[in-house]
Amino acid sequence: MNKIYTDAATALADVVKNGMTLMCGGFGLCGIPQVLIVALRDSGVKDLTVISNNAGVDGAGLGLLLETRQIRKMVSSYVGENKLFEQQFLSGELELEFNPQGTLAERIRAGGAGIPAFFTKTGVGTVIADGKELREFDGATYVMERGLIADVSLVHAWKGDAEGNLVFRKTARNFNPMMASAGKVTIAEVEHLVPAGEIDPDAIHTPGIFVHRIVHAPDVAKMIEKRTTRPRAA
Amino acid sequence: MAWTRDQMAARAAQELRDGFYVNLGIGIPTLVSNFIPPGMSVQLQSENGMLGMGPFPFEGEEDPDLINAGKQTITALPTTSYFSSADSFGMIRGGHIDLAILGAMEVSEKGDLANWMIPGKMVKGMGGAMDLVAGVKRVVVVMDHTAKGQTKLLHHCTLPLTGSAVVDMVITDLGVFTIDKDSGTGMTLIELADGVAADEIKSKTEANFTVAPDLATTAA
C-alpha cells in the first residue's frame, strides 16, 4: 500500500467530484494546504461545500477558489479578511454557515471519532441555537450540535512519513488533526517527507490511519497575514 | 477625565491573579498584556492553539507558523505549549481558562453580550467569542461607554447576542461595573474614572444600575 503520490494533482484526480464536501485545514493563512488548494482550483471541480475556519484572503488560500467561483457554500467561524467573499455572499452566489470556532472544531473532532452529536453551552440564547435541540444537564442549558465528516479532507503538516504519520509545527496545527480524522479520504501535504521509522512514535500528532494520501510539498512559500514586530532595544 | 485605552487596559489588568490562564480579545484587551504586574505568573491563551504567548517578534524573526488568534506574528516563551483547535476549545469550554477579557458593541444589565454582528452590514463571524463567553470562568468586557453618542450599556441588547448572561464586569472609559449574572440582581457601579462623576455615568447609561456605597474614584 503506497500512500505517497507524486504531486497534488495526481492525489486529487480520482477523488474530487462536483458538489462534494471538503474540509480544509488552517487558521487564517497559517497551516493551510496551499499546494493542494492550487491543485484543487486547477482540477476545475465546482459546487463545493468547504468546511474551513476561514475563507482565505483575496488572492491566497481559499480565496483562490472564490475567484474561480468553485465554492457554493462555506462553513466557517470567521471570514472577515476577504472582500471577494463579501461580494459573493451579498449577491447570493455564496452560501454561508457560521459556527462558533470551538463548536466547529468539536463538530469535526466528533465526526472523526464517530460521534453523531454532542451538547455544548456555546451559543445558547443566541441565533446559533435557533432550531436546534436544547437540553438541561445539571441545571444548565445546552444546545445539540452535529458531528461533521467530509468526502475529502486537505491538511498541511510539517513532517510526514511513508505510513502517513504526521507532525505539525507550532500554531500551524490548528484544525488539521481533526480534519485529518474526519475525511473519508484525507490528503496531507507535508513539508518534509521521511521514511517510516524516522519520526519518534511518541512525537506523532496524527497517526497514519487517518491519512490516505501524502504529497511532498517542500519549499512552500508560507504567507503571513499580519506581520507584527517589536523594535530591538537600541 | 475619561480613561485612555491604556488606562482601561491597566484597570483590566487589576483583575489578573498569580497563576491565571487568560484569553485576551482583539483591540484594547490585547493591551492588557503590557500591564501584567512584575513577578505575577499569567499565561496567555491564544485560541488558535497556544498557551504561553510571548511578545511580537523582532523584525526578521517572524515565523509564519507562529501566530495569535488575531493572525499577528508572535513568539513563544519557556512555558509555551501548542495544541489543536479542539484541545484549545476543550480548555475554554471545559472551564479551565480563568479569565477572558473581550471587547463589546453592547452589554445589557443582565450581562448579555453582543460583539459579533451588525445586521444589514457585512458579518465577519463570531470566531471564538461565543465559546469563550460560554466556557471561561470569568468574563470582563473592556469598551468605550458610548459609540457615536449612543450608550453601549442597555436594558436589552439590540444586536444579535454573543452570549446570554455571561458578563461579570464591564470596564469603560468612564468607570467600572460588576454584574451579578447568576442572581439577576443586575449591575453595580463600583468605580469612577478619575474626574468622572456618577451623574455623568447616569446620563450616559440606559441600563439600570446601583451605585456601590463605597464608590471609589481611581486614576488607573
Side-chain angles (χ1 to χ4, degrees):
Chain A
M1 169 87 202
N2 176 33
K3 294 186 176 182
I4 300 169
Y5 283 66
T6 51
D7 56 58
T10 315
L12 283 167
D14 58 334
V15 293
V16 293
K17 306 236 166 7
N18 292 342
M20 75 176 178
T21 297
L22 187 92
M23 286 181 187
C24 189
F27 181 95
L29 297 178
C30 181
I32 60 170
Q34 287 189 61
V35 173
L36 288 164
I37 290 171
V38 169
L40 190 68
R41 178 195 63 188
D42 295 344
S43 78
V45 66
K46 52 184 200 240
D47 294 328
L48 296 170
T49 293
V50 180
I51 300 165
S52 181
N53 188 56
N54 313 96
V57 300
D58 291 318
L62 292 174
L64 297 176
L65 300 181
L66 292 171
E67 283 173 9
T68 48
R69 292 175 162 66
Q70 286 167 277
I71 300 177
R72 184 183 60 77
K73 179 182 177 183
M74 286 293 311
V75 180
S76 302
S77 86
Y78 188 85
V79 296
E81 318 295 345
N82 195 314
K83 287 195 178 60
L84 190 60
F85 187 102
E86 185 171 348
Q87 288 164 17
Q88 292 185 17
F89 174 67
L90 292 175
S91 71
E93 273 181 87
L94 187 64
E95 201 183 326
L96 170 62
E97 178 189 321
F98 273 131
N99 282 199
Q101 195 174 131
T103 294
L104 181 62
E106 190 64 12
R107 290 183 73 190
I108 298 163
R109 195 198 69 79
I115 296 170
F118 60 93
F119 286 89
T120 176
K121 268 189 206 167
T122 302
V124 171
T126 77
V127 293
I128 290 301
D130 287 353
K132 294 176 185 166
E133 182 182 338
L134 299 176
R135 199 182 292 184
E136 285 220 349
F137 294 96
D138 307 320
T141 307
Y142 294 76
V143 58
M144 189 174 81
E145 296 281 0
R146 298 293 310 271
L148 284 172
I149 55 168
D151 296 309
V152 175
S153 283
L154 306 182
V155 301
H156 178 94
W158 175 61
K159 194 186 271 192
D161 69 16
E163 174 57 28
N165 297 308
L166 301 179
V167 179
F168 305 98
R169 186 171 175 272
K170 301 187 179 181
T171 56
R173 190 182 318 187
N174 54 64
F175 282 81
N176 284 298
M178 298 84 76
M179 288 185 171
S181 72
K184 290 178 197 164
V185 177
T186 292
I187 308 174
E189 61 171 59
V190 301
E191 294 171 51
H192 303 279
L193 180 61
V194 301
E198 276 209 12
I199 303 173
D200 175 358
D202 266 335
I204 290 167
H205 296 137
T206 289
I209 190 170
F210 296 125
V211 178
H212 309 97
R213 300 181 176 194
I214 307 155
V215 177
H216 190 201
D219 310 318
V220 181
K222 292 185 219 172
M223 293 167 285
I224 291 176
E225 212 165 317
K226 292 180 186 169
R227 189 178 297 273
T228 44
T229 56
R230 68 188 144 130
R232 285 173 197 276
Chain B
M1 276 288 287
W3 281 331
T4 63
R5 288 163 57 91
D6 274 331
Q7 286 174 313
M8 291 160 72
R11 177 58 190 83
Q14 291 177 22
E15 302 305 310
L16 301 171
R17 297 291 178 271
D18 191 41
F20 262 22
Y21 295 98
V22 178
N23 186 293
L24 301 178
I26 293 164
I28 299 174
T30 303
L31 300 175
V32 174
S33 63
N34 298 330
F35 297 96
I36 298 171
M40 184 184 280
S41 165
V42 171
Q43 299 299 319
L44 300 178
Q45 201 244 19
S46 188
E47 65 265 25
N48 54 316
M50 179 185 198
L51 199 56
M53 186 168 38
F56 295 140
F58 294 120
E59 197 173 330
E61 294 178 3
E62 307 92 324
D63 183 343
D65 288 340
L66 184 46
I67 64 168
N68 64 17
K71 284 119 187 170
Q72 296 170 310
T73 45
I74 45 158
T75 57
L77 297 170
T79 52
T80 295
S81 55
Y82 301 113
F83 33 83
S84 72
S85 301
D87 285 342
S88 179
F89 283 93
M91 286 173 201
I92 291 167
R93 202 186 301 104
H96 305 282
I97 305 290
D98 297 289
L99 177 67
I101 303 177
L102 306 169
M105 298 192 265
E106 295 176 347
V107 176
S108 84
E109 63 198 33
K110 300 276 193 289
D112 295 348
L113 168 68
N115 75 350
W116 75 281
M117 179 186 187
I118 302 175
K121 297 194 179 178
M122 179 51 191
V123 181
K124 292 173 186 285
M126 71 290 285
M130 285 191 180
D131 309 277
L132 283 161
V133 299
V136 170
K137 285 181 196 158
R138 190 154 183 269
V139 174
V140 172
V141 163
V142 181
M143 66 177 192
D144 287 328
H145 205 95
T146 58
K148 294 173 186 160
Q150 300 293 310
T151 184
K152 296 169 74 173
L153 284 165
L154 305 168
H155 294 307
H156 305 282
C157 293
T158 62
L159 297 170
L161 294 185
T162 307
S164 171
V166 293
V167 178
D168 296 280
M169 174 178 270
V170 182
I171 299 168
T172 77
D173 50 331
L174 302 182
V176 182
F177 298 83
T178 54
I179 300 178
D180 190 338
K181 63 190 186 192
D182 296 322
S183 73
T185 51
M187 292 176 57
T188 307
L189 176 63
I190 62 161
E191 229 171 285
L192 299 169
D194 196 26
V196 171
D199 282 348
E200 179 184 352
I201 291 194
K202 276 193 180 126
S203 72
K204 291 180 175 173
T205 306
E206 180 196 288
N208 290 321
F209 64 91
T210 53
V211 178
D214 54 345
L215 184 68
T217 299
T218 318

